[in-house]
Amino acid sequence: VPLWTHMLVSFRGTVQHGLPLEIGDTVQILEKCEGEVYASGIFPSCYIHLKNAHVKNKGQFETVIPVEDSVITEMTSTLRDWGAMWKQLYVKNEGDLFHRLWHVMNEILDLRRQVLVGHLTHDRMRDVKQHITARLDWGNEQLGLDLVPRREFSMVDPDEISVTELYKLMEHRHRKKETAAPASTHHLFVHVKSLMSANLGEELEVFFHIYDGRENRPLSERFFVRLNKSGLPKSPEKTERQCTLFVDLGSSDLRKDVYIVVHFIRIGRMGAGEKKNLCSVQYRRPFGCAVVSIADLLTADSKDDHLLKVYACNTESEWHQIHENIIKKANSRYNLSGSNTGLAVALQLLHGDIEQLRREYMVLFTRGVSITRKLGFSDIIMPGEMRNDLYITLEKGEFEKGGKSVARNVEITVYVLDIDGQILKSHVAAGSGEPGGDEYHSLVLYHNNSPRWAEQIKLPIPVDMFRGSHVRFEFRHCSTKDKGEKKLFGYSFVPLMQEDGRTLPDGTHELIIHKCEENTSLADCSRYLKLPFTKANLPSNNQTLKGTKESFWITSFLCSTKLTQNGDMLDLLKWRAHPERINDSLSKLKEIDGSEIVKFLQDTLDTLFGILDESSQRYGLKVFDSLVHIINLLQDSKFQHFKPVMDTYIESHFAGALSYRDLIKVLKWYVDRIVDAEHQEHIQQVLKASEYIFKYIIQSRRLFSLATGGQNEEEFRVCIHELFMSIRFFLSQENKGTSPVAQTQAVFLRTFPAIYSELLKIFTIREVAGFVRETLGSLPAAIHADCPLEAVKLQCIAKTVESQLYINPESRCILLPVVLRVLQAHMQEQRDLVMCARILTSMLSLLKKEENGTTPVVSEEVELIVESLLGVLLRTILEISNRPQPAGPAMRLQFQDVTGEFVACLLALLRQMSDRHYQQLLQAFSSKDDLRVRATHFHLFVSLNKLIISFDYKVGGAQLSICFEFRAEKKKNPPLKHEYGDMRVMMGCEIFSMWQNLGEHKLNFIPAMIGPFLEVTLVPQPDLRNVMIPIFHDMMDWEQRRSGNFKQVEAKLIDKLDSLMSEGKGDETYRELFNSILLKKIERETWRESGISLIATVTRLMERLLDYRDCMKLGEVDGKKIGCTVSLLNFYKTELNKEEMYIRYIHKLYDLHLKAQNYTEASYTLLLYDELLEWSDRPLREFLNYPMQSEWQRKEYLHLTIVQNFDRGKCWENGIILCRELADQYESYYDYRNLSKMRMMEASLYDKIMDQQRLEPEFFRVGFYGKKFPFFLRNKEFVCRGHDYERLEAFQQRMLNEFPHAIAMQHVNQPDQTIYQADAQYLQIYAVTPIPESQDVLQRDGVPDNIKSFYKFNHIWRFRYDRPFHKGTKDKENEFKSLWVERTTLTLVQSLPGISRWFEVEKRELVEVSPLENAIEVIENKNLQLRTLITQCQSRQMQNINPLTMCLNGVIDAAVNGGLARYQEAFFVKDYMMNHPEDGEKIGRLRELMFEQAHILEYGLAVHEKFVPQDMRPLHKKLVDQFHLMKSSLGIQEFPAYVRASPVHFTNGSPRTCRNSVPSIISPDGGRTVSRRSSLSYPAVNRYSSSSLSSQASNEVSNITGQSESSDEVFNMQVLQFSSAHRHASPHMLADAPQTRGSPQMAEKHKHSRENACLSPRERPVSAIFPNPLDPAQRAPTHQIGDTTLPRSDPNLSAPDKGSSAKNMRSQSPVPSSRSPQKTTVPPFTPSPTECQSTSLVSNSPVLSGSYSSGISSLSRCSVSEASGTELPAGDHPPHPGSDEPVRRENKTPPPYSVYERNNPRRPVPLPHSLSIPPQADPPALPPKPHQLRTGSMKLDGSADPRVPRPRPLPRKVSQL
């Protein structure tokens, strides 16, 4: 016999034939020789330890199992496996798990040592093993190893139990781990620490109790603690007097309105502030109260102490309700007893029954803790519980003054006296925690004749002493004089039990106060016990006591398991004394409280059967009904623990040997009445109690047989057979599912299986099986599928299969056909599959247990099961595995459970089948269609292998394939891998082989098998994927042969990929492998091109799905999630045309936006779905969260939802359009009610536009560079709309948080290819300025800023960024000469805002702006700003004049210090004009602007003088003086004629009164208007500044005034237009190549120019000068106007010239045909001040004024205008067809989320830009005034107003979604 050893020491084996071994290795010894051992090599024998073992699976994969405790074996092998993996954790730098695992391994080693020693008790050994297995499971789970199935802590052998049992073990274990049953019983632990108070000088009594604030009553008795004068517990050594456990709280008590109430009573003098005197008498006086809600303890940290604030009542008369006032927060009735007064107490909620607490908190109970009980019984009453507590509450009293001038100070003394008048010692308790006393003294309320105490005391009087005992209350007046006497003046009493044995009833009792003298002796209680004690029982003739005003009220409550207050109960128990009351007592039994019945359960049952034996004819039916009532009472959860009491009674105490006859008779009478009875409720109660009725019948018959030797046996059998015949008759009735008879049938079937075990006590097992078979067989077969009786029938079958009756083979062969028939019917109809799986699991588990025994019987049963269920089982598995999983987590879990159980059942059945069963199965198939057979088997095989191979397929969290012992993953469970090999690849090869063998029949499996094959290939096993992926090529080939394409394959692949990858399957490796394998396979195919297209589409879809899945794993909603969803949504729409998936992702994106509070984007997103619908009555199916409804209803709901979200996003203009469309629909249907609501909603949106403030968003350009970004972001640039109040720095930080591995680029140049191809993430972020499209609205005079703000920042397609740089040699003294601006214009694929907060950049345009053009823009914008401020000041729109003051100061101060002079030096010198002759007109324009600025300043100063407050007059004078210096520096003595002649003045009225469409020069006097049009128009530019050109003073002004320079003010400015000269542009169009010059890496003095270049749009307003149309008579012809009607992205080029060279470009000047003579006059150039003027005005200022001055520096903050075309009159021709801009707009894909209007003649209003197609030629028209909307009659013929732009045609989707 071979011996097995374990190595104790490692042996290197360096000697000849040495066998190297490691410590712990297992070795089989073959031979021993002279101290050495041979086992395929030699080693020293002292290195080993011999162990007993047995070998399993002998051969290549044999396993040695030591003969020892299996837990020890598992610990040993597990620790070995962990050891190697533990070291790898260190290598992988997983430090946290490394250290935790190290501690667990050490803990397991210690526990293993304890088990090996063997000195543990049985209970302790069980606890240790449970702890060990929990630690082993934790470690296996953390390391990704398989979980081990166990039974009683030992590993189970998969060969010894069935697959179904193995599955149930794992499922049960996971369920137990995941869902712990909530405890129904709770306990509150209280530990009093101390009372902190500054003025405490007396001892205190503290009373705790639990109080129900809803019902205003206490829930528990009181816990009593004594505190000394320092506020500490008086007996610190006795912990039971400081700690208590409030026990038996129900779950309903843990709510917010249940409180812990603490009352404080001080022991001392009558007044708290009285000085010490000779009086030594102490009184119990009110001190304070504290309250805390129990609900607060559920969330609080149990380790922290609670400090409860103590409150005192303002008046003592309200002491009884101070806790109620605190709860209600009636602050006027109480106040803090002291600022520092508080009770420190530990409070902790404990859960579970009391025995469980004793085990878990052993120290708590051994140290000592008092138990504070609930008032009344707990929610669950336990038999054997002994309790006899009487609670009396001293409520209130009414006393007379008794001849005193003031009210009394009343104190009550309470005594308990026995029948002999002796005082019961220690039977009066103030509460738990302190031992009971002989008497109790109440608290004293000062000078109160109507005191209310509300003090509860407990009287734990023994049961045998209750009779004859009474409670006496003595009333004393407590004098406040020096002696402090307590004078007796009256007493009351109450007996505890009445003469008939009933105790004092619960409730309030008004007791009589018997007056007595001070020296009266009450020792002889017989003298007063004869007196009446309560006013309720006074005889009517006793008027003396009835008329007295003095009374005393108490409330009593008895909680006793032995005594009763119920007279009916006593009458029933004493039925022999009063036979005439039997009928009434039996009738009243149902009205008695259940707790009273269970107290006397045995006595009650003896009574009932005693009555039945003596008067069965007379009372038989009533006794039976009473017995049924008691039995059903025990079904209640409160009394369910009394069932064992009844079982014990039946077995040991029941003596009714004759009762069975009456019970059978009455039961049969009830059953016979079922079919005809109208009311079934009572009969159902009878059948519900049938289990215990049969128990009584069988026990009674057994007692009779024992007594008579088995007489009347045949009669009894006949009665039982007749009873079952009646039962079968009523069960056979066919009824509707809701009929009363059907409900009665269901009630009987629920209780029927419980009868089997009782019948087996008398009948043989075959007889009982016959009863059951016939009873179940009598049920009607054809019942409706939705009948609830079907589910109950199946539950009955399940209980039958799990009963002892079915376990016996004799009875099982009788019952099996019935069970199989019911099971087959349910599985065929796919009903109640969970219960079917449970039944089948139980059946197959039983077969496994008996296969070693009676093999022929087992074989027959397997044959029956295979014949009945195998086919339907296969179909069921296929259907439920291909069925989509439910949405809810609970339903999904149930779905997975039933799938796993059925597969386990199939595997168990296949395992039980022998060769004979397989042969019979094949013979049965031979007669059927061979193709269908092969299809069924192939589907089955693939489905099984798919479930077994896939490791991600989890069932209830435990992986299904654990059930199959050959589940193995490379790193998981190495012993199984070693034993069986990796069977996943083997199974994959089997599937591939079966597929190849199908031949031409493959077409029958396309596309059905694509889903299962795809799921198998997604398993992360490379070899398996290599085997399975080529099948898709084969499918494509066969589909190509059949139909010439493989659209079906493509569609199925796409549909399944989305669902599978969303479940977490697949990875980047799979995508690459799928792409490479299939591309290689199709290289030689004739359909190669279409195949490559399919593979590319699927691969791109995988990219996006993987990105989407990765993004969705993140916690919060961020831009990455939204961007990824947008990418996937567009992919389904544009490339795949999958409308249903498209709509699903629309709603996913919508939910993301709502979660992120992006309400505007959410609205645009939902518009995508809204536009797929029409206003039609076409019915739509139920979809997502939408019910089944018409298309009109769904579109209406979508419209309302979108309007609501537009409202929340403050995008009211878009909401108005949808309101109008809805209103038109309501009006067309004459739905005036909804029409009215819609008009009111529309009006409210208009109000919000005017009344509410909107924040202006910032826009940021973001570039994502590098290969580490997701596909939808990689090497792309986007423009993002920032959040509210979000500036550049905050946005940059947010993006870096979303991409924590990204590197922020510190320059704004375009990156090179090394950045594009880098394996990293680079973020390039800077702010950009929006270029509005709706310029006509922005230029209109009098349009409020609230309206303009929408058009400035909505429907934006283009954005701009400017970068200053120096070209050529830089002049250090005047850098304006070489200062150029590189202007980048970004055009997006969709306008912002839209369905996302960011969109990709579609096109970049780079333009260089020359220094002269820049100077013109700077001065133009500054003039525009000045005009705006002056206009606002004149129209009194400004709250104060400060903005105008600061702007004037900035401009004038800069000009005086040489600002404008720098321009003169740069551009008005002869050298510049000779070198740049083409700039003559521009120089003239600059000259005009400078004079114009001086004129505006002059007028502005005049306006400023009018409105300037008195305290700013000195500043105004300074400005006037500096202005004259400025005029001198410019050489202006008198303004030129064309300036002086400018007649336009600023009106003092509303801006709406200034309606002249031709802006003009300002004259402070008013005057004539000269039309002057600017021949140059410039796009908006970012403001920027140069530190070299800014003085400190000017910067200070800039900082002060920066707030006034906003785009709102710019757009309110009237536009100045010149037409005296044609201005020529000379921009240089640049390519998109990166520009290195002008890089932000400049000299120190230019360092902040880049920073200002990145300023947010709020700091860099977009100011654009768009000429308004002239009078129609003055308009130039079309050929003169050229392309000026079009918005141009290039500021200096007209559209026809954009294709020519930059040097030859000229913009067409839109000059009117008739010009004023003054316009031809160009003032002569004034020489530069440095050439012909005194240098005193310039030389004193080495640097010019800066940022917010006149804007002379072209690096200063300035705004540049953009050209816009004029509005064409009705007769004008459309724009030039060669224009580039219309082409760009026409080629741009319209946004898919446009809101369009269909032929609505009543609303000639074009939609906002993002809601409609982009502008074709004209900019969008301003919405008309409200009064214009109703002009004309309602056109119902569909003809549209010709003025309304045609809506873009939308493709109509015939969608049923």
Side-chain angles (χ1 to χ4, degrees), residues 540-608:
S540 58
N541 56 2
N542 195 337
Q543 297 299 325
T544 305
L545 290 176
K546 274 196 171 184
T548 180
K549 295 181 179 178
E550 290 194 324
S551 292
F552 171 57
W553 283 267
I554 64 168
T555 301
S556 66
F557 178 77
L558 177 68
C559 185
S560 174
T561 56
K562 289 297 180 183
L563 300 175
T564 182
Q565 302 167 343
N566 194 295
D568 297 330
M569 193 75 211
L570 290 173
D571 289 343
L572 180 62
L573 296 178
K574 298 177 181 179
W575 63 279
R576 293 185 188 276
H578 303 282
E580 71 280 359
R581 299 183 185 175
I582 292 177
N583 202 30
D584 292 338
S585 299
L586 290 174
S587 300
K588 293 178 180 178
L589 180 66
K590 297 180 181 178
E591 302 172 6
I592 298 175
D593 183 62
S595 59
E596 295 290 325
I597 295 176
V598 297
K599 281 184 199 176
F600 310 103
L601 182 60
Q602 183 174 337
D603 297 335
T604 306
L605 292 173
D606 284 340
T607 299
L608 291 178

Side-chain angles (χ1 to χ4, degrees), residues 635-653:
Q635 309 290 339
D636 189 350
S637 59
K638 186 173 183 179
F639 309 114
Q640 62 184 353
H641 293 282
F642 281 85
K643 282 186 178 180
V645 177
M646 181 173 277
D647 291 335
T648 304
Y649 172 80
I650 294 171
E651 291 294 329
S652 305
H653 304 289

Side-chain angles (χ1 to χ4, degrees), residues 324-386:
E324 296 179 15
N325 292 332
I326 295 172
I327 291 170
K328 295 175 182 176
K329 298 182 179 179
N331 300 331
S332 61
R333 300 186 177 184
Y334 63 88
N335 53 21
L336 276 173
S337 61
S339 58
N340 297 323
T341 304
L343 180 69
V345 60
L347 302 172
Q348 183 178 1
L349 272 173
L350 308 176
H351 310 282
D353 59 59
I354 196 72
E355 293 303 322
Q356 179 183 347
L357 294 187
R358 289 183 190 277
R359 291 194 302 269
E360 294 180 1
Y361 301 92
M362 198 176 299
V363 179
L364 189 69
F365 287 90
T366 55
R367 188 179 61 185
V369 59
S370 63
I371 301 297
T372 306
R373 296 181 176 276
K374 196 175 180 182
L375 286 182
F377 293 105
S378 61
D379 290 348
I380 298 174
I381 301 177
M382 300 297 294
E385 182 179 356
M386 296 298 295

Side-chain angles (χ1 to χ4, degrees), residues 603-809:
D603 297 335
T604 306
L605 292 173
D606 284 340
T607 299
L608 291 178
F609 286 108
I611 296 172
L612 187 64
D613 286 345
E614 292 194 9
S615 307
S616 62
Q617 293 296 326
R618 186 174 181 184
Y619 301 117
L621 188 59
K622 287 211 168 185
V623 169
F624 185 88
D625 290 344
S626 299
L627 184 62
V628 167
H629 173 70
I630 295 175
I631 292 171
N632 287 328
L633 185 68
L634 301 188
Q635 309 290 339
D636 189 350
S637 59
K638 186 173 183 179
F639 309 114
Q640 62 184 353
H641 293 282
F642 281 85
K643 282 186 178 180
V645 177
M646 181 173 277
D647 291 335
T648 304
Y649 172 80
I650 294 171
E651 291 294 329
S652 305
H653 304 289
F654 176 57
L658 299 174
S659 303
Y660 72 90
R661 297 174 179 173
D662 299 306
L663 294 177
I664 293 175
K665 179 181 177 182
V666 177
L667 179 59
K668 185 177 184 302
W669 180 78
Y670 271 119
V671 172
D672 290 338
R673 292 179 66 248
I674 290 176
V675 178
D676 300 325
E678 293 183 6
H679 302 288
Q680 301 277 330
E681 291 80 8
H682 183 62
I683 299 176
Q684 290 172 9
Q685 293 295 319
V686 171
L687 294 180
K688 196 181 293 183
S690 57
E691 175 188 356
Y692 275 92
I693 292 175
F694 268 93
K695 284 188 177 185
Y696 282 112
I697 290 172
I698 298 301
Q699 184 65 12
S700 175
R701 174 60 199 173
R702 290 172 71 188
L703 293 174
F704 183 84
S705 296
L706 286 173
T708 62
Q711 292 182 11
N712 302 333
E713 181 71 22
E714 190 60 32
E715 178 190 350
F716 171 73
R717 288 177 175 273
V718 169
C719 289
I720 292 295
H721 277 283
E722 289 177 352
L723 175 61
F724 272 97
M725 286 180 63
S726 299
I727 291 172
R728 289 197 294 273
F729 174 74
F730 105 83
L731 286 178
S732 63
Q733 303 300 310
E734 292 190 16
N735 300 279
K736 293 183 179 179
T738 56
S739 70
V741 175
Q743 295 174 4
T744 306
Q745 291 172 335
V747 170
F748 175 76
L749 288 177
R750 289 191 186 98
T751 58
F752 182 48
I755 300 172
Y756 304 161
S757 58
E758 300 304 319
L759 294 175
L760 286 172
K761 293 177 181 178
I762 291 183
F763 297 94
T764 65
I765 195 163
R766 297 187 69 87
E767 285 179 317
V768 177
F771 284 142
V772 175
R773 180 188 62 189
E774 292 168 3
T775 303
L776 295 178
S778 65
L779 289 165
I783 298 183
H784 304 290
D786 56 347
C787 177
L789 186 60
E790 285 295 291
V792 178
K793 186 201 301 185
L794 208 58
Q795 293 172 8
C796 181
I797 293 290
K799 293 178 181 177
T800 302
V801 171
E802 294 166 2
S803 68
Q804 291 295 320
L805 183 65
Y806 189 83
I807 292 175
N808 192 298

Side-chain angles (χ1 to χ4, degrees), residues 824-1117:
Q824 184 184 34
H826 279 76
M827 290 177 65
Q828 281 178 341
E829 298 177 14
Q830 300 286 304
R831 288 186 285 115
D832 302 308
L833 291 180
V834 175
M835 190 59 66
C836 291
R838 172 183 158 189
I839 296 170
L840 198 52
T841 298
S842 302
M843 293 168 61
L844 295 170
S845 299
L846 196 59
L847 287 180
K848 175 64 180 176
K849 290 177 183 176
E850 298 198 355
E851 67 178 350
N852 299 326
T854 54
T855 306
V857 176
V858 172
S859 179
E860 290 176 8
E861 291 178 10
V862 171
E863 186 176 337
L864 278 173
I865 295 174
V866 170
E867 183 180 343
S868 301
L869 295 182
L870 182 60
V872 70
L873 180 59
L874 298 181
R875 286 193 294 274
T876 302
I877 292 175
L878 288 173
E879 288 184 20
I880 62 177
S881 59
N882 292 327
R883 190 185 302 168
Q885 293 196 8
M891 292 299 295
R892 187 182 300 115
L893 202 61
Q894 186 181 17
F895 174 85
Q896 293 174 342
D897 285 346
V898 73
T899 309
E901 278 199 82
F902 275 128
V903 172
C905 290
L906 179 59
L907 295 175
L909 184 58
L910 295 175
R911 197 173 179 183
Q912 291 289 335
M913 290 170 63
S914 62
D915 293 342
R916 184 173 64 84
H917 296 126
Y918 282 108
Q919 289 174 0
Q920 291 174 350
L921 185 64
L922 292 175
Q923 289 171 3
F925 277 144
S926 60
S927 61
K928 299 180 181 179
D929 183 12
D930 181 58
L931 177 62
R932 188 165 59 84
V933 174
R934 295 174 72 175
T936 303
H937 280 78
F938 187 66
H939 273 84
L940 163 69
F941 184 80
V942 173
S943 299
L944 276 179
N945 282 285
K946 178 182 69 176
L947 294 177
I948 295 166
I949 288 173
S950 174
F951 296 104
D952 298 322
Y953 191 90
K954 296 187 178 180
V955 183
Q959 297 183 359
L960 167 67
S961 33
I962 290 176
C963 301
F964 226 23
E965 62 269 23
F966 50 76
R967 172 182 181 257
E969 188 176 348
K970 186 172 182 180
K971 70 173 183 179
K972 292 189 178 182
N973 214 333
L976 290 182
K977 174 76 182 297
H978 176 72
E979 186 173 350
Y980 297 103
D982 192 344
M983 298 194 70
R984 298 173 300 171
V985 181
M986 295 168 55
M987 290 182 176
C989 294
E990 287 293 327
I991 295 175
F992 185 80
S993 175
M994 292 179 69
W995 174 259
Q996 295 300 330
N997 292 332
L998 283 173
E1000 295 181 357
H1001 298 298
K1002 292 176 182 177
L1003 290 172
N1004 295 286
F1005 299 95
I1006 302 173
M1009 289 306 298
I1010 290 177
F1013 284 157
L1014 186 61
E1015 193 166 352
V1016 172
T1017 61
L1018 288 171
V1019 173
Q1021 217 291 343
D1023 295 335
L1024 178 65
R1025 289 174 171 177
N1026 286 324
V1027 170
M1028 293 297 298
I1029 289 177
I1031 292 181
F1032 296 122
H1033 161 257
D1034 204 28
M1035 287 184 162
M1036 292 163 64
D1037 187 39
W1038 280 98
E1039 181 67 15
Q1040 178 74 23
R1041 296 183 199 178
R1042 175 170 63 180
S1043 55
N1045 59 61
F1046 26 78
K1047 293 294 184 185
Q1048 286 191 13
V1049 176
E1050 180 181 9
K1052 194 70 173 180
L1053 269 175
I1054 290 169
D1055 289 342
K1056 293 299 292 183
L1057 264 178
D1058 188 276
S1059 60
L1060 292 175
M1061 285 197 162
S1062 64
E1063 295 172 7
K1065 300 176 182 177
D1067 47 35
E1068 185 63 28
T1069 308
Y1070 177 75
R1071 184 190 67 82
E1072 296 171 358
L1073 204 60
F1074 182 91
N1075 189 56
S1076 60
I1077 291 177
L1078 290 184
L1079 284 178
K1080 188 175 180 180
K1081 283 283 184 183
I1082 66 171
E1083 282 180 353
R1084 299 182 180 179
E1085 300 289 353
T1086 56
W1087 41 269
R1088 179 172 173 272
E1089 295 300 326
S1090 54
I1092 290 175
S1093 173
L1094 183 148
I1095 295 167
T1097 300
V1098 174
T1099 306
R1100 289 199 305 275
L1101 177 61
M1102 286 187 199
E1103 292 173 359
R1104 285 159 176 80
L1105 289 173
L1106 288 172
D1107 286 342
Y1108 178 79
R1109 188 178 72 193
D1110 293 340
C1111 291
M1112 290 300 118
K1113 292 178 183 176
L1114 304 175
E1116 299 179 356
V1117 177

